[in-house]
Amino acid sequence: MTDRLLQMYRQMLAIRLFEERVNDLYTRALMPGLAHLYIGEEAVAVGVCNALRRDDYITSTHRGHGHCLAKGAAPDLMFAELLGKKAGYCKGKGGSMHIADPDTGNLGANAIVGGSAALAAGAAFSSKYLKQDRVVVCFFGEGALGQGVLYESMNLAQLWKLPVIYLCENNLYNEYTHFSETTAGDIMARPAAFGVAAASADGQDVRAVYETVAPLVERARRGDGPAFVLANTYRFRGHHVGDVSRDYYRARQEEQRWVTERDPIAILGTHLVERLAADRAALDRMHAELTLEMDRAMRWAIEAPYPGVDDVSEDVYA
């Protein structure tokens, strides 16, 4: 288990370093458009994806870089996609919110809130119909709890016993509004209304996420139907990279408390050192190595060529 936790630590750290460089690209005006950083939520993606096989599927969200990397995407190709370069996963045409990587089972990020709920159910139906033994995880934020397509999809998933996990990342804020102002009632009562198995987890503790999700994944793989997981987490940065001053919708003290007391990387690092006798110096070396890797990946993407003019009509099907 120690080796798995060290791997999880490395993955969370890689996501953090990747996102910090995405913010740097934006502030230097090298990246077109906006990006929604996953900083603070790394334990959710890493804990979930470690419970999956490489050929299992995920669907992602507008805040999807962490999901993509945790499922196995390469940072250099991720950077290239964000920068609109031809070497990117979608040849530079998808950008931050539409990255897909079929080779790692990533069916794609989606800029529409709740937009992948039905896609995930469809992929799960395909897996069951073709007897492929694949499980699907549908990531979405708490804002999607107000979208009808989520409940339509969960209803069919339960009726047809589809192998899909609906994974709600509740980072407390629907853009700039606290979820308590938009979401009525008990969140956990919603999947219960469909008879869907449900569980919650501390989204800042990667061990808790993994231990909650892993048995539900195996349950789905056995054919016992869908599940719903509520991962309680927090985004340390703004809704997007341009959301710098956040005092008007959340207290600075609240933000600082989460950053200093509930950092998922620090929580696992402390556990590794104090409980499992991991070498703090080795963790520091891992940080230094990953920093160099991310810097190399970012520089490669910056220098990579843009698509040619003739590429504009490629991969257009409608």
Side-chain angles (χ1 to χ4, degrees):
M1 189 60 182
T2 301
D3 288 343
R4 181 185 290 276
L5 290 177
L6 285 169
Q7 175 64 17
M8 289 179 173
Y9 185 87
R10 182 181 182 86
Q11 288 177 307
M12 288 197 294
L13 188 56
I15 293 170
R16 177 71 58 87
L17 293 170
F18 180 90
E19 294 291 62
E20 288 174 350
R21 278 146 188 78
V22 171
N23 190 65
D24 176 59
L25 290 169
Y26 172 77
T27 56
R28 287 195 285 151
L30 295 175
M31 184 185 74
L34 296 172
H36 303 75
L37 302 180
Y38 200 65
I39 293 175
E41 303 183 36
E42 296 92 347
V44 181
V46 171
V48 170
C49 290
N50 269 272
L52 299 175
R53 300 189 319 221
R54 182 179 175 86
D55 66 337
D56 286 333
Y57 292 127
I58 66 167
T59 61
S60 187
T61 70
H62 60 280
R63 196 178 309 283
H65 303 163
H67 308 147
C68 297
L69 290 166
K71 196 61 172 69
D76 51 358
L77 303 185
M78 289 274 291
F79 280 126
E81 185 59 38
L82 266 61
L83 295 174
K85 301 302 183 71
K86 187 170 183 176
Y89 275 109
C90 301
K91 301 180 183 178
K93 297 178 181 179
S96 172
M97 291 187 281
H98 299 95
I99 294 175
D101 178 22
D103 289 342
T104 59
N106 180 0
L107 299 179
N110 200 310
I112 301 171
V113 174
S116 68
L119 302 178
F125 178 82
S126 172
S127 175
K128 182 173 182 177
Y129 182 80
L130 297 174
K131 296 180 172 57
Q132 292 178 327
D133 194 34
R134 287 173 165 173
V135 174
V136 185
V137 171
C138 175
F139 288 100
F140 58 92
E142 80 288 338
L145 295 169
Q147 298 297 318
V149 67
L150 174 63
Y151 304 107
E152 296 170 26
S153 302
M154 287 176 62
N155 179 64
L156 286 179
Q158 176 65 355
L159 284 172
W160 297 342
K161 293 292 184 284
L162 302 181
V164 57
I165 310 295
Y166 290 98
L167 199 295
C168 178
E169 297 178 290
N170 183 1
N171 64 20
L172 303 187
Y173 290 91
N174 304 175
E175 293 192 3
Y176 318 114
T177 305
H178 195 277
F179 84 98
S180 62
E181 298 180 48
T182 64
T183 309
D186 180 3
I187 292 175
M188 298 300 286
R190 299 183 180 206
F194 297 104
V196 172
S200 62
D202 178 358
Q204 303 309 97
D205 185 343
V206 71
R207 294 172 297 143
V209 174
Y210 175 80
E211 290 166 4
T212 300
V213 173
L216 295 174
V217 168
E218 293 312 306
R219 175 182 178 275
R221 206 181 302 282
R222 289 195 306 268
D224 293 336
F228 176 96
V229 176
L230 175 64
N232 297 298
T233 184
Y234 194 83
R235 56 172 166 83
F236 289 0
R237 302 292 181 91
H239 172 59
H240 54 70
V241 284
D243 178 19
V244 178
S245 178
R246 299 174 286 279
D247 294 352
Y248 68 96
Y249 71 89
R250 72 184 195 189
R252 188 172 300 180
Q253 294 89 340
E254 172 192 291
E255 192 172 292
Q256 190 61 30
R257 185 168 62 253
W258 279 87
V259 170
T260 57
E261 299 176 12
R262 300 292 293 147
D263 186 326
I265 298 174
I267 288 171
L268 180 57
T270 298
H271 177 78
L272 285 167
V273 172
E274 295 184 356
R275 300 293 183 87
L276 300 178
D279 183 4
R280 173 61 71 179
L283 298 183
D284 292 341
R285 287 195 298 273
M286 184 187 298
H287 188 289
E289 291 167 3
L290 282 171
T291 297
L292 291 175
E293 287 181 24
M294 288 299 166
D295 285 341
R296 282 196 296 267
M298 183 177 66
R299 286 195 299 270
W300 177 86
I302 290 172
E303 295 169 3
Y306 288 100
V309 174
D310 293 340
D311 294 332
V312 69
S313 60
E314 286 188 5
D315 307 309
V316 176
Y317 301 104

